[in-house]
Amino acid sequence: MRVRIRVGKPREERRLVRFLWLGLSKALSAKQRRFIARELDCFQGVADLVIATPNGHRLVPKGTSPTALRGISFSVAKVLSALSERKIAEVGSIAQTTGLTPQTVQRQLSVLRQLRIVELKPNGKVMVRHEIGKPFKEIDAYEVKVRDWKSGLRQALNYRCFANRVYLAMPLNRANALRERIDVFRRFNVG
């Protein structure tokens, strides 16, 4: 007897994600610049689609070479996040906030120094050279499910940690069958 193990997304779900992506891409205004990402790992699950509207804030100076950006990693992002809303910080407090070792924080700060985002002072303090603002005005996250709407709803709710609006996308016949449960979606503010 041969056991068949299914791993990953079912074919129907991948197809639905592709059609949703194509439809949303066409619907977006050409004048308003937006980014669309598929399969975005947000540490609360993997959002099937995410649409983000930039706010014009530039983190790195215009003209920064792509090779300079290669040093950006998850640890650099954690350090950067710990520095937002601050003008001066200490390596120890950054390490405590991020859960990284002080040595790792030092390495990540050198990447940020090369990008001219921070300045390292001789007294061990870190000075943020310019405001670290949020890069996006709005973020919409979509979870796509073919059948299991309850698990889709839970996943969509997890995306609230980073998205302004969250949606559950399903095939039309399945979505129509869920009309009687619209109050659940309204209660949790899921489109």
Side-chain angles (χ1 to χ4, degrees):
M1 183 169 139
R2 200 170 182 187
V3 177
R4 193 172 190 186
I5 299 172
R6 287 185 156 191
V7 178
K9 274 186 191 246
R11 184 179 310 159
E12 312 95 80
E13 213 166 277
R14 283 194 309 266
R15 209 168 147 241
L16 189 57
V17 169
R18 190 173 74 243
F19 286 138
L20 180 61
W21 180 76
L22 287 169
L24 289 170
S25 297
K26 287 180 183 178
L28 295 176
S29 166
K31 291 179 183 175
Q32 192 174 22
R33 195 169 152 219
R34 293 187 181 168
F35 299 103
I36 301 179
R38 286 195 269 186
E39 297 294 316
L40 184 70
D41 188 348
C42 60
F43 305 103
Q44 297 289 331
V46 177
D48 292 312
L49 279 173
V50 174
I51 299 177
T53 307
N55 67 8
H57 176 79
R58 292 193 69 82
L59 183 59
V60 294
K62 201 170 191 169
T64 303
S65 75
T67 54
L69 297 174
R70 285 190 189 138
I72 296 178
S73 65
F74 178 63
S75 296
V76 171
K78 284 179 86 171
V79 169
L80 196 56
S81 177
L83 289 170
S84 66
E85 306 295 324
R86 293 180 171 182
K87 192 67 181 159
I88 295 179
E90 293 180 353
V91 172
S93 68
I94 297 169
Q96 206 169 24
T97 302
T98 60
L100 301 171
T101 67
Q103 296 81 10
T104 302
V105 169
Q106 286 285 1
R107 282 195 307 272
Q108 309 320 315
L109 286 171
S110 68
V111 171
L112 294 173
R113 188 181 52 75
Q114 289 171 354
L115 291 170
R116 298 187 304 235
I117 296 171
V118 300
E119 200 174 302
L120 304 177
K121 296 292 186 182
N123 61 1
K125 297 205 182 220
V126 180
M127 188 179 96
V128 180
R129 294 181 70 164
H130 55 84
E131 180 189 351
I132 300 172
K134 295 178 182 174
F136 301 108
K137 280 192 267 195
E138 292 181 337
I139 298 175
D140 297 340
Y142 294 81
E143 179 59 33
V144 175
K145 289 290 179 198
V146 175
R147 290 180 194 86
D148 188 7
W149 70 272
K150 288 181 183 177
S151 116
L153 181 64
R154 276 192 299 276
Q155 284 180 269
L157 287 171
N158 283 340
Y159 305 154
R160 304 275 327 208
C161 68
F162 73 92
N164 301 87
R165 290 179 296 272
V166 295
Y167 302 92
L168 174 62
M170 299 188 83
L172 187 57
N173 60 348
R174 185 70 177 127
N176 284 336
L178 287 172
R179 283 195 183 274
E180 62 197 35
R181 301 196 185 267
I182 195 75
D183 59 317
V184 175
F185 289 88
R186 284 189 179 136
R187 187 173 348 129
F188 292 112
N189 203 17
V190 174

